[in-house]
Amino acid sequence: MKQTQISEASINRNLFPKRTKELKSVVHSAPGWKLFGKVPPRENLQKTSRIIQQEYEARTGRTCKPPPQSSRRKNFEFEPLSTTALILEDRPSNLPAKSVEEALRHRQEYDEMVAEAKKREIKEAHKRKKIMKERFKQEENIASAMVIWINEILPNWEVMRSTRRVRELWWQGLPPSVRGKVWSLAVGNELNITPELYEIFLSRAKERWKSFSETNSENDVEGVSVADREASLELIKLDISRTFPSLYIFQKGGPYHDVLHSILGAYTCYRPDVGYVQGMSFIAAVLILNLEEADAFIAFANLLNKPCQLAFFRVDHSMMLRYFATFEVFFEENLSKLFLHFKSYSLTPDIYLIDWIFTLYSKSLPLDLACRVWDVFCRDGEEFLFRTGLGILRLYEDILLQMDFIHIAQFLTKLPEDITSEKLFTCIAAIQMQNSTKKWTQVFASVMKDIKEGDKNNSPALKS
């Protein structure tokens, strides 16, 4: 056994010469550790290129001369930060040297790689510069638009809101600083809700939540209807946790959690006939981001009182079908090829429109883009919601034509995250909301009339 140990030691000594003091100091500079306190330092097993070179010289008896300093790369304006330049290096002395032809070829390949890398760098720099330029331009436009809205339009709202100049400015998107105010004015307050009334219904909601928590069952509370049970604290809590989760501001502990909870709770007491319906939390959240609490509640209640929203949130099946049928009229008019493709798979609008309408696109589109859709929705009303839907279909028409039923439904349920406002609004602008000589409201009225008369039109959505 001893002999084995000795022979191993002698082999190690022969293969690996003693290291210098400098190397020893490096090795012993890093102490070892155990769970409680220090242990004797361990030998560092990592080897530097210098150590490897010394070991190679000791074994072979050869001395590796450092390659002569070449000045051939000194004049390059661009030096890639990678191993690309290694192609120009001479081979080690123990290997055959490069031929003249090989060296020239390597030089050419290197020059091509450098030129390509430089071209990419210049292209990316131009792209960054363009993005910054567009961003500065956008900020300047927002700043100048804000001045116009504050100084000219808002003080003369009733007179100017329908003018061509204001409508064009509105289409470009509202400045964030005036967005909430314009939304409030555009939505209106037909219900005559006051901040005091909001506080009253909020107090009722808090009392109800307290009684729910005490009894641990809504069924034990006298006079609680089905709508009230649907609007229970647990359902609202669950939906709040799923509202803009990436922002981390509406979830428990976030700055707007209690505000969102209060508005939704107060609304269920204000409208027990509607109660709480999934998707409301997204609408309330967008309003909270742009308005004070009481103003957000007033806008929320009035917005949900509009005919289209009321039909969807009360799940008025017959009215929803009329909206779908009207949508299909304009779908066929604007995107006939895609319409026939959807029809061949019996893919009806309810499959994708319900989620878009319930949340006013705030769940389906990036938040900044959804706010711009809201801007024009507040200007044009329910028609713009369906026009936006057609704009989305137009934007992705080529992709959707290649898909089957399942993939279309999945794609429209979760739209690409890289969708931009410029592309989408270009497609929306191309959608003509006119069938023959009839506009949206006229087509919707004629659909209602046909249904009342029992004359079902050919829309797949109406065949039930």
Side-chain angles (χ1 to χ4, degrees):
M1 183 67 180
K2 274 185 179 181
Q3 184 64 32
T4 306
Q5 291 174 350
I6 290 168
S7 62
E8 287 178 357
S10 63
I11 289 170
N12 287 335
R13 279 198 299 272
N14 292 333
L15 289 178
F16 303 102
K18 288 185 179 179
R19 299 176 181 175
T20 61
K21 291 181 180 179
E22 180 187 346
L23 294 174
K24 285 184 178 178
S25 65
V26 174
V27 169
H28 292 287
S29 65
W33 291 87
K34 63 175 182 178
L35 187 59
F36 301 102
K38 295 183 180 179
V39 297
R42 296 175 295 183
E43 186 179 358
N44 190 351
L45 299 178
Q46 293 183 351
K47 299 177 182 179
T48 64
S49 58
R50 185 178 175 185
I51 294 171
I52 294 170
Q53 181 181 336
Q54 288 173 352
E55 292 173 358
Y56 173 77
E57 290 173 357
R59 285 198 303 271
T60 61
R62 297 178 182 177
T63 303
C64 292
K65 297 179 181 179
Q69 294 294 326
S70 175
S71 60
R72 59 185 166 192
R73 296 203 309 273
K74 285 183 179 178
N75 297 326
F76 283 170
E77 294 178 3
F78 178 83
E79 189 71 38
L81 299 176
S82 69
T83 57
T84 304
L86 290 177
I87 196 172
L88 293 177
E89 299 291 345
D90 293 326
R91 292 198 183 99
S93 58
N94 60 320
L95 295 175
K98 292 181 183 178
S99 65
V100 177
E101 293 79 8
E102 189 179 12
L104 288 173
R105 189 177 73 251
H106 286 175
R107 159 67 68 179
Q108 185 180 357
E109 289 174 2
Y110 176 75
D111 289 342
E112 288 172 0
M113 287 187 284
V114 169
E116 189 64 31
K118 192 171 184 179
K119 193 186 295 182
R120 283 198 304 270
E121 181 65 27
I122 293 170
K123 188 177 180 181
E124 288 173 6
H126 282 313
K127 188 177 179 182
R128 288 193 298 269
K129 188 177 179 180
K130 185 180 178 182
I131 291 171
M132 289 300 295
K133 190 176 180 181
E134 288 175 355
R135 188 176 296 171
F136 287 140
K137 186 179 179 182
Q138 187 180 13
E139 289 175 359
E140 287 175 1
N141 292 339
I142 289 172
S144 60
M146 181 184 66
V147 173
I148 296 171
W149 279 99
I150 292 174
N151 296 334
E152 299 179 35
I153 301 172
L154 291 177
N156 306 287
W157 175 252
E158 293 301 332
V159 177
M160 295 193 67
R161 64 177 297 179
S162 300
T163 61
R164 183 176 179 179
R165 180 193 176 200
V166 171
R167 288 181 66 82
E168 287 176 354
L169 201 60
W170 209 330
W171 176 268
Q172 295 167 14
L174 297 171
S177 57
V178 300
R179 177 168 274 149
K181 180 66 176 175
V182 175
W183 286 359
S184 293
L185 290 170
V187 172
N189 187 11
E190 292 179 356
L191 299 173
N192 295 317
I193 301 173
T194 61
E196 292 74 23
L197 190 62
Y198 166 62
E199 292 297 333
I200 291 170
F201 284 109
L202 178 57
S203 298
R204 289 184 188 177
K206 288 179 179 178
E207 288 174 9
R208 180 174 295 176
W209 295 336
K210 187 179 178 182
S211 65
F212 283 170
S213 61
E214 288 173 354
T215 59
N216 201 30
S217 171
E218 294 116 11
N219 295 325
D220 297 333
V221 182
E222 260 185 58
V224 176
S225 65
V226 175
D228 290 331
R229 287 200 296 272
E230 186 183 8
S232 68
L233 177 62
E234 292 304 316
L235 183 57
I236 292 175
K237 275 184 179 178
L238 179 63
D239 237 19
I240 288 177
S241 67
R242 297 181 295 199
T243 305
F244 297 120
S246 60
L247 297 181
Y248 302 106
I249 57 176
F250 295 106
Q251 287 64 41
K252 194 169 184 179
Y256 293 116
H257 172 270
D258 293 342
V259 179
L260 181 56
H261 195 268
S262 297
I263 288 176
L264 295 175
Y267 182 78
T268 60
C269 291
Y270 175 68
R271 290 298 300 264
D273 59 318
V274 178
Y276 179 77
V277 181
Q278 204 170 23
M280 286 183 177
S281 62
F282 280 89
I283 297 176
V286 174
L287 291 169
I288 288 168
L289 291 173
N290 292 277
L291 291 162
E292 295 297 325
E293 184 175 338
D295 294 328
F297 176 79
I298 293 169
F300 180 72
N302 279 278
L303 191 58
L304 267 56
N305 197 53
K306 302 294 181 183
C308 181
Q309 278 62 53
L310 205 56
F312 275 79
F313 282 112
R314 295 182 76 170
V315 196
D316 186 337
H317 189 64
S318 61
M319 282 295 291
M320 289 171 71
L321 288 178
R322 290 165 190 168
Y323 277 109
F324 295 148
T326 308
F327 172 81
E328 286 202 306
V329 170
F330 291 96
F331 187 2
E332 186 177 15
E333 183 78 18
N334 286 274
L335 305 165
S336 57
K337 192 175 180 181
L338 187 62
F339 174 80
L340 292 173
H341 183 65
F342 277 30
K343 194 173 182 180
S344 67
Y345 286 111
S346 299
L347 199 150
T348 52
D350 55 294
I351 293 172
Y352 51 92
L353 270 183
I354 284 179
D355 192 47
W356 294 351
I357 302 299
F358 263 114
T359 61
L360 302 181
Y361 296 95
S362 56
K363 183 182 176 183
S364 309
L365 298 175
L367 184 56
D368 58 338
L369 178 52
C371 285
R372 191 172 167 191
V373 170
W374 278 47
D375 291 344
V376 189
F377 162 60
C378 289
R379 187 194 78 171
D380 295 351
E382 64 186 36
E383 174 186 326
F384 189 74
L385 295 178
F386 297 95
R387 190 180 181 189
T388 300
L390 292 172
I392 292 172
L393 296 179
R394 182 184 178 90
L395 179 60
Y396 296 110
E397 182 178 13
D398 294 339
I399 298 172
L400 294 169
L401 285 169
Q402 307 301 319
M403 294 181 176
D404 58 13
F405 181 96
I406 297 296
H407 291 94
I408 291 171
Q410 290 175 343
F411 183 89
L412 295 178
T413 302
K414 187 172 177 58
L415 295 170
E417 295 179 359
D418 61 351
I419 183 171
T420 62
S421 59
E422 290 77 14
K423 289 181 180 178
L424 178 58
F425 270 77
T426 299
C427 290
I428 293 173
I431 298 296
Q432 299 298 318
M433 297 303 283
Q434 190 166 320
N435 176 249
S436 299
T437 57
K438 293 182 179 179
K439 294 184 178 180
W440 170 269
T441 51
Q442 294 170 317
V443 173
F444 184 75
S446 65
V447 167
M448 289 187 69
K449 185 180 178 182
D450 290 343
I451 292 174
K452 286 179 181 179
E453 292 174 355
D455 181 18
K456 303 274 187 179
N457 80 4
N458 294 323
S459 167
L462 291 175
K463 292 179 180 179
S464 57

